[in-house]
Amino acid sequence: GFPCLRERSPPVETDGPPGAVAIARALVAFGVTVSMPIEHHSRAALQQCMAAACTGEIQPTVIGFPTSDEWEAADDLRLQDMTAGSSIAIAIERAGTSSDGTCYTMRALPMGRDLVAYELNSILTVGSRLRTVAVGDGGNELGMGSLYADVSRTVPNGAKTGCIVPSDFPIVASVSNWGGYALCCACALLAWDQQLALAADGATNNCAGRHSAEDYVARLVPDARSLEAVILAANDAGAVDGINGQSMGSVDGMPLRIHLDLLDRLRAITLGAMNEGEAVDRPP
């Protein structure tokens, strides 16, 4: 979530944390160890979102870091330790560094060293051994540098606000949270396809030990009830809509119902693709 609400505490918006939590929950379901670094000022918001999403489940570790104006050498070491044990870095709605070294809002307002831990943005550039994924909606998010030419040409103020830090796999969505949910759906579909392939090869019993398509989606993709709890938890922690400043579930200028309906549509599309794939792979 961008710290774009520069006069608020916390300055974080409701786009970002729910999508990050959805991705983290899916990765944990695969048995992946997940660490989630974020500025201290927004740690509680992300933590409360995580608690709302992972009731009774293993929760990823949320790690707070100071903003750049309070960054110390010890923080460099903590960041190095965290990235040393990682194989992939995923950024979603993370303020990205522009060509002049500053992070900007979509209104081209600077987010300074008292709002952003610029050092955290090095996670996407620590070395080629880390595969990097980035989710954004306005081109000023970390990792959108892979699309900087398009951002400069099509986004108002894009040449100034656009992030120049690239990623291996940039994902663009109308709302960054939506890109996060779509990534979870893609993970569920790929895992389901792999299960079908193994079953076709005789590696798994067609009945025993298999999960249904509904099980995969439930484990890896949030449902509307869970998402509502997560967004409202962000509101309870002080996060508000980055466009209109509202709470009550609003994200990026749109009311809660639009986000819940979009998630339902994504889940339905995913289940439809799974069921279609199962019909194709089912022996005559």
Side-chain angles (χ1 to χ4, degrees):
F2 265 51
C4 57
L5 300 154
R6 303 184 305 163
E7 306 303 321
R8 287 182 54 89
S9 180
V12 68
E13 60 168 328
T14 46
D15 188 24
V21 165
I23 295 170
R25 178 177 175 270
L27 291 173
V28 168
F30 281 120
V32 176
T33 299
V34 179
S35 297
M36 305 180 73
I38 193 170
E39 286 85 357
H40 283 311
H41 57 56
S42 299
R43 182 181 183 277
L46 183 57
Q47 188 68 62
Q48 287 188 217
C49 288
M50 187 64 65
C54 299
T55 304
E57 302 176 8
I58 297 174
Q59 294 188 23
T61 303
V62 178
I63 304 173
F65 281 88
T67 49
S68 289
D69 62 336
E70 297 182 353
W71 193 275
E72 298 180 351
D75 299 308
D76 285 322
L77 295 177
R78 288 199 300 139
L79 184 58
Q80 290 171 16
D81 288 343
M82 185 182 68
T83 56
S86 301
S87 59
I88 185 170
I90 304 175
I92 177 169
E93 193 67 7
R94 168 86 194 161
T97 311
S98 70
S99 58
D100 67 7
T102 303
C103 294
Y104 288 101
T105 70
M106 286 298 291
R107 298 182 178 93
L109 299 174
M111 293 175 285
R113 293 170 56 83
D114 60 332
L115 289 174
V116 179
Y118 281 75
E119 291 80 0
L120 287 181
N121 289 358
S122 68
I123 291 176
L124 262 64
T125 58
V126 293
S128 58
R129 69 172 188 81
L130 272 181
R131 303 306 297 272
T132 57
V133 179
V135 184
D137 54 25
N140 55 345
E141 299 86 5
L142 185 63
M144 293 294 106
S146 304
L147 307 173
Y148 180 75
D150 295 319
V151 171
S152 298
R153 186 177 67 255
T154 61
V155 176
N157 300 312
K160 178 178 181 178
T161 64
C163 176
I164 62 169
V165 180
S167 59
D168 294 321
F169 304 102
I171 299 173
V172 180
S174 298
V175 178
S176 291
N177 283 343
W178 297 359
Y181 311 148
L183 180 57
C184 293
C185 289
C187 289
L189 183 57
L190 289 172
W192 173 252
D193 284 346
Q194 183 180 43
Q195 176 180 258
L196 291 181
L198 290 172
D201 290 340
T204 62
N205 186 287
N206 282 331
C207 297
R210 285 190 57 190
H211 296 283
S212 68
E214 289 77 9
D215 288 337
Y216 270 87
V217 172
R219 291 176 60 217
L220 299 173
V221 185
D223 59 20
R225 182 177 180 180
S226 171
L227 177 58
E228 180 175 4
V230 168
I231 295 176
L232 294 180
N235 291 154
D236 289 342
V240 296
D241 189 313
I243 292 178
N244 59 31
Q246 295 181 4
S247 55
M248 300 299 293
S250 181
V251 181
D252 270 8
M254 291 176 279
L256 177 62
R257 174 46 54 190
I258 289 179
H259 302 279
L260 302 185
D261 288 347
L262 183 282
L263 178 60
D264 284 342
R265 289 171 58 196
L266 286 174
R267 288 169 61 93
I269 291 169
T270 305
L271 283 170
M274 288 176 168
N275 292 328
E276 179 180 342
E278 185 175 31
V280 170
D281 291 339
R282 187 181 296 121

